[in-house]
Amino acid sequence: MATLAKTVVATGATSGIGFELVKQLLTQTQPYKFILAARDAKTAQAAFDSLKYDTSKHSLTIIPSDLTNLKTVKTFSQQALEKIGQDKIDYLMLNAATVKTVDEPGVSKWCGTYIVNHLSQHYLVHLLREKLEASQSRLVFVSSGGIRLIDDPSVLDESVKRNSGTKRDLYPDTKFIALLGAHWWRRQLQGKCKVVAVSPGLIPTTGLYRQTDIKLPADHPDAKSVPVGAQSVLAAFTRDDFPEDPDRIFLTSWGEWWESDVIKLTLDKKLQDKWCPSKDEVEKEEGITA
């Protein structure tokens, strides 16, 4: 009897750690059906075609989507659901991330880094929610140990606004907010879906900071390669040894579940609610019509 394919819907899977993760899954005997969002679908398609994977076993669909524009996120969700049909979503991986020091033109009050790293993917979960619940999916939020750099969440109100003038790296800020989102969705989907946040570790060669002057030290003692980082994320797909404490959803790159006190600032439910608007609220604020 043929093994049923598992469906993976993902953002941030066409380069860096996300690409490597898909590459590793394409070598497995378990069949996979990938539906991936990509800003540059043509380049992404060429990259996956070069892997020469077994197309009789795995299928891969790339749908254009610019996560700085939530209208394209809505289109992606519609096309993804059409492609999935009656099948279920086994995994939703939210891995897209960017670091920008200069905001691109736009109408949103939020900076591009915040929109990509949190709001667009939070909105995507809203759009897929009914299917995710019916599928009892696993949601994997790719996070960062950098969230520990945030010791005063009140600064986030101004730092992630468009043209705020903030000079510091907003990656930890936006990843902190995205972790608030992971906790919020864990609460919303309790008993229906599994939610895991995971850090791939310090990966200097992902190209994340290519649009900035920031350089990650390749010789850092904690530095890991892209394949190793992808294996850390892959563990979030397969681990079932969840702690009894439901707040301990963060899987580290060394394979441990962080204690609640390490991520305690993200456990504030009022703060989670503040940064996790409803679907209608997102659409109203970002000017998205039916």
Side-chain angles (χ1 to χ4, degrees), residues 210-227:
R210 60 184 175 274
Q211 300 181 49
T212 75
D213 295 329
I214 300 171
K215 302 296 181 183
L216 297 179
D219 59 349
H220 192 283
D222 293 330
K224 294 178 171 62
S225 67
V226 170

Side-chain angles (χ1 to χ4, degrees), residues 108-288:
S108 176
K109 73 176 184 179
W110 304 112
C111 70
T113 301
Y114 169 79
I115 292 174
V116 172
N117 295 3
H118 173 60
L119 190 62
S120 64
Q121 297 178 96
H122 174 69
Y123 180 49
L124 179 60
V125 181
H126 274 304
L127 295 169
L128 298 177
R129 179 172 184 168
E130 183 177 350
K131 187 69 168 180
L132 294 169
E133 290 182 343
S135 304
Q136 297 185 315
S137 309
R138 178 175 297 204
L139 283 65
V140 177
F141 288 77
V142 180
S143 188
S144 167
I147 61 101
R148 291 173 295 175
L149 297 174
I150 307 303
D151 55 13
D152 180 10
S154 68
V155 304
L156 302 174
D157 292 90
E158 293 301 322
S159 69
V160 299
K161 286 183 179 177
R162 179 174 296 278
N163 299 320
S164 67
T166 302
K167 299 299 183 182
R168 71 173 187 276
D169 175 11
L170 289 180
Y171 185 72
D173 299 54
T174 54
K175 280 298 187 179
F176 181 94
I177 296 171
L179 183 55
L180 291 172
H183 286 296
W184 189 85
W185 278 114
R186 197 273 302 165
R187 289 163 49 208
Q188 304 304 310
L189 301 173
Q190 188 171 8
K192 299 174 182 177
C193 299
K194 291 186 173 68
V195 176
V196 183
V198 60
S199 171
L202 176 63
I203 318 292
T205 56
T206 61
L208 180 64
Y209 285 86
R210 60 184 175 274
Q211 300 181 49
T212 75
D213 295 329
I214 300 171
K215 302 296 181 183
L216 297 179
D219 59 349
H220 192 283
D222 293 330
K224 294 178 171 62
S225 67
V226 170
V228 171
Q231 290 169 15
S232 295
V233 176
L234 187 56
F237 279 59
T238 58
R239 293 277 292 268
D240 285 318
D241 58 331
F242 299 106
E244 292 185 8
D245 181 352
D247 287 331
R248 291 181 60 199
I249 64 170
F250 198 111
L251 185 62
T252 70
S253 61
W254 54 92
E256 299 176 359
W257 297 98
W258 256 346
E259 297 291 344
S260 296
D261 61 346
V262 181
I263 54 174
K264 61 183 179 182
L265 291 179
T266 66
L267 303 183
D268 184 330
K269 291 182 174 59
K270 289 184 179 180
L271 199 60
Q272 295 167 13
D273 293 344
K274 174 182 178 178
W275 288 100
C276 294
S278 69
K279 175 177 172 291
D280 290 344
E281 288 171 336
V282 174
E283 292 181 341
K284 181 179 180 181
E285 186 172 85
E286 298 300 313
I288 302 169

